Amino acid sequence: GENVEQHPSTLSVQEGDSAVIKCTYSDSASNYFPWYKQELGKRPQLIIDIRSNVGEKKDQRIAVTLNKTAKHFSLHITETQPEDSAVYFCAACASGGSYIPTFGRGTSLIVHP
Amino acid sequence: DAEITQSPRHKITETGRQVTLACHQTWNHNNMFWYRQDLGHGLRLIHYSYGVHDTNKGEVSDGYSVSRSNTEDLPLTLESAASSQTSVYFCASRRTAEETQYFGPGTRLLVL
């Protein structure tokens, strides 16, 4: 089955800095890669996703890149703000697996004012 | 508004008791999922269903069961609660042929 590794487990940055979270996956059949943000005590919520037919996707201050050859994808947050503090999860899904995501273990992002 | 809800939001029970966690969605999604979330383990799949009367085991299904008698509900039952099942449980749903899952608010379960 799919295995998703996520690093780092904790990331501490100063407000205004950039943050990068990296994930690797093992199943070459995976073709959909969502990222979820989970604030303390809340549910995970989708913030951005990317499909295997594109290499990069941006939405304001967040972007995701995908390298299919190396089987890794990354979340980039620019100009971080305290409200970006949360746990971020990456996931990988294969359409052949009926889009059941395998999640990484999460990254706790702390943005210091 | 369409939504996904879970109840109870918090539950304390004793070892050996049967516990049922409810999940209800009004989006008419065919696909529903149960996850548990533990520190250091992320989200792990317990059971999932692709439609009425369909259920499937996930990565960590031992000690759990589900049933799907209608589209809206997928209750999760802990047959005999164990302390190792203390966790936060999230239900999720997804429309067939779409990739995005939507999560419920979670149930925090403590087994003493």
Side-chain angles (χ1 to χ4, degrees), chain A residues 19-38:
Chain A
V20 181
I21 302 170
K22 298 181 179 182
C23 291
T24 61
Y25 63 98
S26 60
D27 189 350
S28 57
S30 289
N31 56 7
Y32 174 67
F33 307 91
W35 285 88
Y36 286 83
K37 176 184 180 181
Q38 186 180 26

Side-chain angles (χ1 to χ4, degrees), chain A residues 16-60:
Chain A
D17 287 350
S18 295
V20 181
I21 302 170
K22 298 181 179 182
C23 291
T24 61
Y25 63 98
S26 60
D27 189 350
S28 57
S30 289
N31 56 7
Y32 174 67
F33 307 91
W35 285 88
Y36 286 83
K37 176 184 180 181
Q38 186 180 26
E39 297 177 352
L40 189 63
K42 301 293 181 65
R43 74 188 77 189
Q45 292 195 301
L46 180 74
I47 55 170
I48 195 168
D49 55 17
I50 190 168
R51 291 167 180 81
S52 59
N53 57 345
V54 297
E56 184 175 4
K57 183 177 180 180
K58 290 183 179 180
D59 183 3
Q60 299 182 344

Side-chain angles (χ1 to χ4, degrees), chain A residues 32 36 38 41-46 49 51 87 89 93 97-106, chain B residues 4 9 33 35 37 40-43 45 48 50 90 94 97-105 108:
Chain A
Y32 174 67
Y36 286 83
Q38 186 180 26
K42 301 293 181 65
R43 74 188 77 189
Q45 292 195 301
L46 180 74
D49 55 17
R51 291 167 180 81
V87 178
F89 292 97
C93 318
S98 299
Y99 290 118
I100 296 176
T102 299
F103 287 89
R105 295 192 174 191
Chain B
I4 181 167
R9 296 295 312 280
F33 308 82
Y35 294 89
Q37 183 175 33
H41 289 278
L43 292 155
L45 184 64
Y48 57 101
Y50 290 135
F90 286 99
R94 176 177 62 80
E98 292 185 2
E99 305 102 336
T100 304
Q101 287 192 347
Y102 298 92
F103 285 86
R108 189 174 295 273

